[in-house]
Amino acid sequence: MTTDNRSSYQTEWSVLQNQFDSYEKFSLIIKLTNVIVTLLLLFALHAGLWAVMFAVLLWLQDGIWKTWQSRINRRLLEVENALNSELPDVTGPLQFNQSWLAARPGVAAMVKEYGRSALAPTVAYPHVLLVAISVWIGCFSL
């Protein structure tokens, strides 16, 4: 690996790692927003159905957000492998978008990927609890 390539990979790794961490922070903000707004809808406004819909909406948004983060993670692993190897990499440095575009799945596969991300335990918590509480309160407060 040339010095220029190594430097490009190091720059790319640094940018991608910062983005990866940023996605984690915003996922936490989505979760905290869901907790606050869902509880407000339930207990202050007594809007059980709206609370369910809002909780599900933000849960799905968090799943999409974490899917995007996983794409960054895949490229980070490629860059780390390239940095730890003397073998030429299939995709060169600074090719995040080209790499993703080359492997981009169809619409159905992307929806499935978003769903898998939404069901991951670290994403589902606290969303699944908020949905369950909202349904429970919505059903028994009528």
Side-chain angles (χ1 to χ4, degrees):
M1 177 181 300
T2 67
T3 304
D4 286 343
N5 263 359
R6 184 165 201 73
S7 177
S8 294
Y9 276 124
Q10 288 169 336
T11 301
E12 181 178 2
W13 183 90
S14 180
V15 169
L16 289 175
Q17 187 62 50
N18 285 332
Q19 281 300 105
F20 183 87
D21 294 341
S22 176
Y23 272 76
E24 198 63 37
K25 291 172 195 165
F26 281 107
S27 178
L28 180 58
I29 289 170
I30 291 170
K31 287 174 173 66
L32 292 173
T33 301
N34 201 359
V35 169
I36 292 166
V37 174
T38 300
L39 293 178
L40 176 69
L41 285 168
L42 283 174
F43 297 112
L45 302 174
H46 306 289
L49 179 60
W50 287 107
V52 171
M53 292 185 335
F54 187 81
V56 169
L57 177 73
L58 280 188
W59 181 6
L60 294 174
Q61 182 59 51
D62 200 15
I64 291 169
W65 195 253
K66 295 300 275 187
T67 301
W68 292 349
Q69 183 189 38
S70 73
R71 293 173 186 156
I72 293 172
N73 186 55
R74 282 191 290 253
R75 181 61 183 171
L76 271 169
L77 294 174
E78 287 179 23
V79 170
E80 288 174 0
N81 284 335
L83 285 168
N84 290 326
S85 166
E86 292 302 319
L87 301 173
D89 195 304
V90 175
T91 54
L94 307 174
Q95 296 296 306
F96 175 76
N97 292 309
Q98 293 297 324
S99 176
W100 184 80
L101 187 60
R104 184 181 190 275
V107 173
M110 286 178 68
V111 169
K112 187 176 177 181
E113 184 180 15
Y114 294 149
R116 273 195 314 268
S117 291
L119 293 175
T122 55
V123 176
Y125 178 80
H127 305 297
V128 71
L129 292 175
L130 292 168
V131 170
I133 290 168
S134 298
V135 168
W136 178 269
I137 290 174
C139 288
F140 292 106
S141 68
L142 297 175

